Amino acid sequence: MNGDGKKRAGIAPGLEVDIVLKQDQRTGKTTRGIVKDILTKSPEHPHGIKVRLQDGQVGRVKQIVSGKRDEH
């Protein structure tokens, strides 16, 4: 499973992810949170699957953090 957030199958509610909010798309700044809802209907998306975090913020998944913290 790849951790880049482009495939819907790799994302599930409860996962910890880094997303890019709409207003941060130009800078690429990421926001970390826990997935509440998956908003993208297609199985994959080139810019990342759109999700809603538990705090209500919406953005596209850039990186799946999950429980494993393997920093590259």
Side-chain angles (χ1 to χ4, degrees), residues 5-71:
K6 289 180 170 56
K7 295 198 185 313
R8 193 173 187 271
I11 297 170
L15 271 185
E16 187 178 9
V17 295
D18 288 335
I19 66 167
V20 175
L21 302 173
K22 182 98 176 140
Q23 66 266 28
D24 294 332
Q25 281 176 350
R26 266 187 244 102
T27 64
K29 176 179 164 289
T30 59
T31 301
R32 184 161 291 183
I34 307 295
V35 176
K36 182 180 181 208
D37 301 306
I38 300 170
L39 304 177
T40 299
K41 297 287 183 240
S42 60
E44 52 187 278
H45 192 285
H47 301 300
I49 300 299
K50 189 179 276 188
V51 298
R52 180 181 295 115
L53 300 180
Q54 287 180 345
D55 63 7
Q57 296 184 95
V58 173
R60 293 195 182 276
V61 177
K62 281 292 165 211
Q63 187 72 33
I64 297 169
V65 180
S66 196
K68 299 188 289 281
R69 295 201 189 280
D70 53 345
E71 307 294 320

